[in-house]
Amino acid sequence: MFTPTPTHSKYKLDCRLVGHQDAILCLAVSSSGELLASGGIDGLRIWNLEKKKLPGWSQLWNPGDPVTSVTWVMREDNVQEGLCCGTGLGYLIILRQHPNRCYNFEEIVSKRIGTGTEIMAISADTSNISIRLTTGTRDQRVQVWSLDSKYHLFNVFSVELMTVPQAMFFWGADVIVFGMHDGAICILRGKDDIVLGTKQTGMVIGAAAMDPNLNFFVIDNATIGFSLHRMEDATCIKTYNTKPLKLYPKQVTFAEKGRVIVGGSDTGIVHILDKTSGDVLQLLQHSKSGQVQTITTHEAPDHHLIAAASSSNDNTNIIMLWKKLIKAQNSGNPTWGTIQTVLQVTMQLLVIATVGVFLYCTMVSALALMYPC
């Protein structure tokens, strides 16, 4: 039995993607790992990661309206990817992959939500039959939506909070909202606008991400770097001092199944940190200087991926991708599936042996009756 296990190898530069003409504000890799969506001041691009370029058809949506947030969605019973985008003018755009041309997308929804202010964040839950979306806008409004099998959009509820939503995540049936300025975390019931509770980090939240098991979250605290918190009470349990020169917000997220924290900087560096010890595992050079504020990660069966870009126009507008390979090695331990297979074969052999013995005894008895001594 062969299973993928992490190696001690380093991330290596995989490619540079050039196509944006201005600052890049958001990145997201599709669930298949084949596509990368990038949004920025000059609109949206969808990249073919296999060929490491933009497909031949037009990839520019809303060039006059910055794309500020993106997330991929795909139903469990579907093979077509969907892409949800939020813009600076408050438009929620939903694109669906063409069934016969995997790099072509059609626009299903283009709807201005709330009061038409910037969509700060989008999050999706694809664990149910219908997809759930949540959007947060600069006018302090959080909305939860439902998408049917054809990616048609239905409003579940809308609520105005006392904070600007910087990031949002589904937490089981509920929604977790991270406030930007006051460091507050608000828990909303997912089926209506009831506030179930609030927690306080005591820090400004420049960006936030939750680990795969939803037990911890990491934030850019906009002062010394990043901090790790328990979800149950928002207590800070570890800080990662990246020594920022300026108090710019920088995206931060988890990688490698939650064991690693990846975050941007204002010095052209991408930080890779051990979540438990806080040790610097690697520093990736995106540029010689300037802000690297836009970060995303992706887990594939054979590699880990980090993508980073600058969200300011004082640098070359390049997306850089790094990969770390996962080596497959013999696990040395039989799995339950292997044990089940052995048991099934053993039972089949026992049945065959029993039938054989029965037939042999029957034949011997018949011969004894036919030819008595």
Side-chain angles (χ1 to χ4, degrees), residues 318-351:
I318 295 176
I319 302 169
M320 298 184 69
L321 279 75
W322 295 267
K323 280 185 179 180
K324 177 180 176 180
L325 298 180
I326 303 174
K327 184 183 296 183
Q329 67 180 32
N330 197 326
S331 64
N333 297 316
T335 64
W336 174 239
T338 303
I339 295 172
Q340 283 183 312
T341 302
V342 172
L343 289 175
Q344 289 173 355
V345 172
T346 303
M347 291 299 295
Q348 290 172 356
L349 291 175
L350 286 174
V351 169

Side-chain angles (χ1 to χ4, degrees), residues 311-323:
S311 59
S312 63
N313 56 12
D314 57 358
N315 271 323
T316 304
N317 303 298
I318 295 176
I319 302 169
M320 298 184 69
L321 279 75
W322 295 267
K323 280 185 179 180

Side-chain angles (χ1 to χ4, degrees), residues 17 33 93 117 139 177 191 193 202 217 266 298 324 334 340 361:
L17 302 178
I93 300 170
T117 58
D139 59 0
V177 182
K191 63 181 180 180
D193 59 357
F217 64 87
D266 54 15
H298 177 71
K324 177 180 176 180
Q340 283 183 312
C361 293

Side-chain angles (χ1 to χ4, degrees), residues 32-105:
S32 66
E34 297 177 356
L35 302 171
L36 171 71
S38 60
I41 300 298
D42 60 349
L44 175 72
R45 309 289 195 281
I46 300 177
W47 306 82
N48 178 344
L49 290 185
E50 182 180 355
K51 296 183 178 179
K52 299 178 175 56
K53 65 178 184 179
L54 290 169
W57 55 284
S58 175
Q59 288 293 318
L60 189 64
W61 273 277
N62 287 342
D65 187 5
V67 174
T68 54
S69 54
V70 290
T71 190
W72 291 92
V73 295
M74 187 169 69
R75 290 163 53 94
E76 293 183 356
D77 59 350
N78 205 336
V79 295
Q80 296 171 253
E81 299 270 10
L83 181 62
C84 302
C85 313
T87 77
L89 296 179
Y91 281 92
L92 176 60
I93 300 170
I94 300 177
L95 308 173
R96 182 176 61 185
Q97 194 174 29
H98 194 282
N100 299 320
R101 297 189 297 275
C102 62
Y103 299 117
N104 282 25
F105 286 76

Side-chain angles (χ1 to χ4, degrees), residues 28 80 114 279 328 352 365 372:
Q80 296 171 253
D279 293 340
I352 293 172
S365 299

Side-chain angles (χ1 to χ4, degrees), residues 198-214:
T198 58
K199 306 175 190 292
Q200 181 57 246
T201 64
M203 305 177 183
V204 174
I205 299 177
M210 295 189 71
D211 80 316
N213 295 321
L214 306 180

